[in-house]
Amino acid sequence: MLGSRLATLILLIGVTPIVARDAVESRTPPEKISLAALGARLFTDPSLSKGGKTACSSCHMPSRSFTDGRARSIGDSGIQTRRNTPTLLSVSRRATYFWDGAEAEFQAAVQRPLFDPDEMGNVSADALVVRIRLAEDYESDFARAFGSPEITLTRIGEALAAYIRDIDEASRHAAAAEKPSLTSQQLAGRRIFSGKAGCGMCHAGPALTDEAFHNTGLAMPGEAAADTGRFSVTGDPSDAGRFRTPSLRAVASTAPYMHNGAFADLDMVIRLYERGGGSPWVRDQAEEADPVARNMASVSPLLAPFVLTEDERNALIAFLKKL
């Protein structure tokens, strides 16, 4: 256990051991632990949530490439959130964070879910810090990681950020070291990815994302649960319905897909793009006159219909599964 201590009690008079109430206890100095090790403990601790039921790892499961397998995540209140849980692989070097780019700084992004009422639900930093202080051995672990036992929100965020960076870097190194050879089918899929299907226009670079926001035609204006995406951050009507381009790292194990988890498998995603994206619409003149609704009902000009044979579609899926 990360919070365990090594302690040695030596009670000697001459050479005869005895037990005494007022004996002097001698302890070995506590070993240092890394910030990432402390972050790993915090990451799996439901004490970080208001109700004590939800840990970071409840939605970001290591066994699912740090996603949860749900269309949309379940918060500490037991209520389904608005959006799909994205993988934490490739996140530490992003330009902005979350599907709508709500944060531009990594540590702020790490702390944000702690206070989101739909996620971990904390209402104040003070209440969160008190719960962690009351948990067994955390002061010892903070002392071993930071050099002093003070527990603060900033330190909690630093430890969580260190852990997420650690898993991100480890996965990058593993991917670079593996250098998998591709079968003829996967090579064909790579050509389709970069060519006919146009996936590489947005899914490019080491993290397989252009760091931009696009409307794929899945945001329907006028619905009760309509998600305006990037517009909710910028207030710019042209951003309505736009969502971040997700990384495709480990994409085979991060289903379901899209910001709302609408598609259960990669075949469904590819067929969406074959059609040139979704088919949103404005329902009446009022929506037509509303720039937010009108932009939500549009589709990125980068999405043009294309046709794949069944063999080509299977080849593209085979390549995606190697990413």
Side-chain angles (χ1 to χ4, degrees), residues 51-64:
K53 296 175 290 187
T54 306
C56 302
S57 59
S58 299
C59 295
H60 297 287
M61 302 176 184
S63 62
R64 291 183 175 271

Side-chain angles (χ1 to χ4, degrees), residues 7-296:
T8 303
L9 180 63
I10 304 175
L11 304 173
L12 294 175
I13 294 181
V15 293
T16 305
I18 64 168
V19 177
R21 288 181 180 272
D22 57 351
V24 177
E25 189 179 68
S26 174
R27 295 183 181 273
T28 58
E31 296 178 6
K32 288 283 290 180
I33 62 171
S34 68
L35 276 182
L38 174 58
R41 180 184 177 192
L42 288 165
F43 191 82
T44 59
D45 191 343
S47 298
L48 284 182
S49 64
K50 178 183 178 183
K53 296 175 290 187
T54 306
C56 302
S57 59
S58 299
C59 295
H60 297 287
M61 302 176 184
S63 62
R64 291 183 175 271
S65 295
F66 296 92
T67 61
D68 60 9
R70 298 186 177 101
R72 290 178 288 165
S73 59
I74 304 296
D76 194 60
S77 64
I79 298 173
Q80 191 177 55
T81 65
R82 290 192 303 163
R83 295 172 182 163
N84 177 258
T85 299
T87 179
L88 293 183
L89 302 179
S90 83
V91 301
S92 65
R93 301 181 185 181
R94 304 301 292 266
T96 57
Y97 299 90
F98 304 104
W99 282 105
D100 56 11
E103 294 288 353
E105 197 276 326
F106 180 52
Q107 190 162 318
V110 170
Q111 293 182 20
R112 188 181 183 91
L114 300 175
F115 301 98
D116 189 315
D118 294 331
E119 296 186 50
M120 301 181 83
N122 289 289
V123 295
S124 73
D126 289 343
L128 169 60
V129 168
V130 167
R131 280 200 309 277
I132 298 303
R133 284 175 181 160
L134 292 175
E136 182 182 0
D137 285 342
Y138 262 122
E139 286 193 343
S140 172
D141 281 359
F142 274 75
R144 294 163 65 199
F146 287 98
S148 63
E150 288 79 20
I151 298 174
T152 65
L153 177 61
T154 297
R155 285 185 167 189
I156 290 170
E158 287 176 0
L160 288 170
Y163 171 64
I164 295 170
R165 287 192 186 97
D166 204 48
I167 59 176
D168 192 359
E169 290 302 314
S171 69
R172 288 174 188 271
H173 291 319
E178 184 180 359
K179 294 181 180 177
S181 58
L182 300 179
T183 66
S184 59
Q185 183 189 44
Q186 291 160 351
L187 287 169
R190 185 171 67 180
R191 289 191 293 271
I192 294 164
F193 181 93
S194 301
K196 181 189 289 191
C199 310
M201 287 191 296
C202 297
H203 295 286
L208 296 171
T209 172
D210 62 0
E211 300 286 353
F213 300 84
H214 303 285
N215 190 334
T216 59
L218 295 180
M220 295 296 294
E223 294 184 351
D227 189 340
T228 59
R230 181 67 171 158
F231 169 77
S232 65
V233 175
T234 67
D236 183 345
S238 68
D239 282 331
R242 293 184 180 181
F243 294 88
R244 161 183 300 291
T245 302
S247 171
L248 293 185
R249 293 185 64 205
V251 68
S253 57
T254 60
Y257 304 105
M258 316 308 284
H259 73 275
N260 55 0
F263 299 129
D265 56 47
L266 290 170
D267 181 81
M268 296 175 70
V269 176
I270 291 170
R271 290 179 187 274
L272 168 76
Y273 290 122
E274 284 186 78
R275 296 194 301 272
S279 302
W281 63 87
V282 291
R283 296 174 297 181
D284 51 40
Q285 289 183 338
E287 287 186 359
E288 177 63 36
D290 179 0
V292 174
R294 194 168 59 248
N295 280 287
M296 284 183 71

